[in-house]
Amino acid sequence: MSTGPVTIAVVAGEASSDLIGADLIRDLQRLNPGCQFVAVGGRHIKATGAELIQDNEVFSVMGLAEVLKDLPRLLKTKKQVVRTILSSKPDLFIGVDSPDLNFSIAKAMKKHGVPVIHYVSPSVWAWRPGRVHKMARFIDGLLTLFPFEVECYSGTGIDARFVGHPLAKQIPLQVDKQRSRAQLGLSDKKILALLPGSRNREIKELTPVFAETVRKLNTSDEWQVVSSNVSEAKQKQVAKLAAEQQLELNFVDDTSALLQAADFALLGSGTVALEALLSKTPMVVAYRISPITWWLVKTFRMMQLPYYSLPNVLAGDFLVPEVMQNDLTTDNLLTACREVINDPQAEQRMMQFHHIHQSLLTAQPDQAARAVLNLAESLC
């Protein structure tokens, strides 16, 4: 790719991909000041100076059944995004995570001759592995966050490259929890991070059971319970649901900073579980999807692994407790939390967290941006 004016379209459909996309854009801006960006994203991508053509909040839907319910609205918005991107005459399209959204946009880009790079491999090692061959029809290059993912694309024609995980370079290998606590202005009491997720369904499903569990766990008031979310509106939503369970929450704006300060975390599945691992924070991961989605997953055997949280996938074992679906009750959560908090092998578990953290680092911190520029040389 030349160092002159180049237009890159970036679509980051979720809160986690907004962080990753913003990190990539900043590195590309530094390596090639001629790059201009049109993007779908959130506040982090907006802060890079990219032209935000659509806020990603509109795509904040989780689960097969939930997507079907909102399908007309999603399709209309997606078509508008495609039209707006194409009108900018992009030299390259980069979809960040969110395969259900980005793959359909990528197909449209490919049809119009725009080279496609996808950043963050879908979980083909755990969920519908046959997708890799379909992906080869519309994806030219793929940037993976985890080293083992590159092999999944061997022989497909997709140029897959491990670029490390942005969070692994942003969070220090050695986390100073006392200092992190002071920077957030929190008290010296032990901190319990309560993080049900950023999607509306996650908040509604997980906050009540999380709050009831923590209230029963914290009877002696030894924990300061702190939460965080992507917007003030969602913080208020979480606070209201927690208050209904007689639990008062404190809030901070930065989830990553909270996890680096926390002594324990109760959280929903997703990137936040990886953030907890990188922050060397003991955790319990919980999740519940709609009964219809769960029935589809079980009936058609869509899950390839016995665990679903990123810490366990990376460890290849049950490194952290998972409480899912029908098992997600206050009693079960309470038992899991107490086992982790009183774990006699906590130090060994933290060593495993440390080793996984090291495995997600690359020699160059801007490896993803360098890979994009390298791939673009042959694609554009």
Side-chain angles (χ1 to χ4, degrees), residues 345-370:
Q345 297 183 319
E347 189 173 335
Q348 291 171 269
R349 205 172 302 275
M350 289 306 104
M351 287 181 62
Q352 289 178 279
F353 283 15
H354 182 86
H355 291 320
I356 291 173
H357 192 157
Q358 286 182 310
S359 75
L360 302 182
L361 293 168
T362 54
Q364 294 176 308
D366 55 3
Q367 188 64 40
R370 293 180 182 276

Side-chain angles (χ1 to χ4, degrees), residues 148-206:
F148 67 86
E149 291 176 311
V150 172
E151 183 59 31
C152 297
Y153 297 93
S154 177
T156 64
I158 297 174
D159 190 339
R161 306 184 185 191
F162 168 61
V163 296
H165 202 295
L167 290 173
K169 69 179 183 181
Q170 291 168 11
I171 298 173
L173 272 170
Q174 303 292 339
V175 175
D176 186 336
K177 290 193 173 290
Q178 195 68 34
R179 181 182 177 190
S180 299
R181 184 180 288 116
Q183 288 176 334
L184 288 174
L186 298 172
S187 72
D188 288 334
K189 288 175 67 174
K190 291 192 297 183
I191 294 174
L192 189 156
L194 187 152
L195 299 166
S198 59
R199 300 183 183 93
N200 289 328
R201 180 176 177 83
E202 292 172 330
I203 292 171
K204 291 175 183 177
E205 286 284 345
L206 299 181

Side-chain angles (χ1 to χ4, degrees), residues 67-85:
V67 169
L68 288 173
K69 178 182 176 183
D70 284 340
L71 193 57
R73 175 180 63 85
L74 292 171
L75 289 175
K76 182 179 179 181
T77 306
K78 186 167 58 178
K79 286 179 181 177
Q80 181 59 50
V81 165
V82 168
R83 286 196 295 267
T84 305
I85 289 175

Side-chain angles (χ1 to χ4, degrees), residues 295-354:
W295 179 83
L296 290 169
V297 168
K298 299 297 286 185
T299 301
F300 296 100
R301 299 180 181 179
M302 293 179 174
M303 288 183 67
Q304 305 293 308
L305 299 174
Y307 30 73
Y308 61 94
S309 68
L310 283 172
N312 291 341
V313 170
L314 292 168
D317 200 357
F318 284 95
L319 178 61
V320 303
E322 299 178 349
V323 186
M324 186 172 180
Q325 211 58 21
N326 297 332
D327 293 331
L328 183 49
T329 65
T330 300
D331 287 344
N332 288 342
L333 270 186
L334 199 57
T335 298
C337 289
R338 285 171 174 160
E339 287 178 353
V340 171
I341 290 169
N342 300 309
D343 183 9
Q345 297 183 319
E347 189 173 335
Q348 291 171 269
R349 205 172 302 275
M350 289 306 104
M351 287 181 62
Q352 289 178 279
F353 283 15
H354 182 86

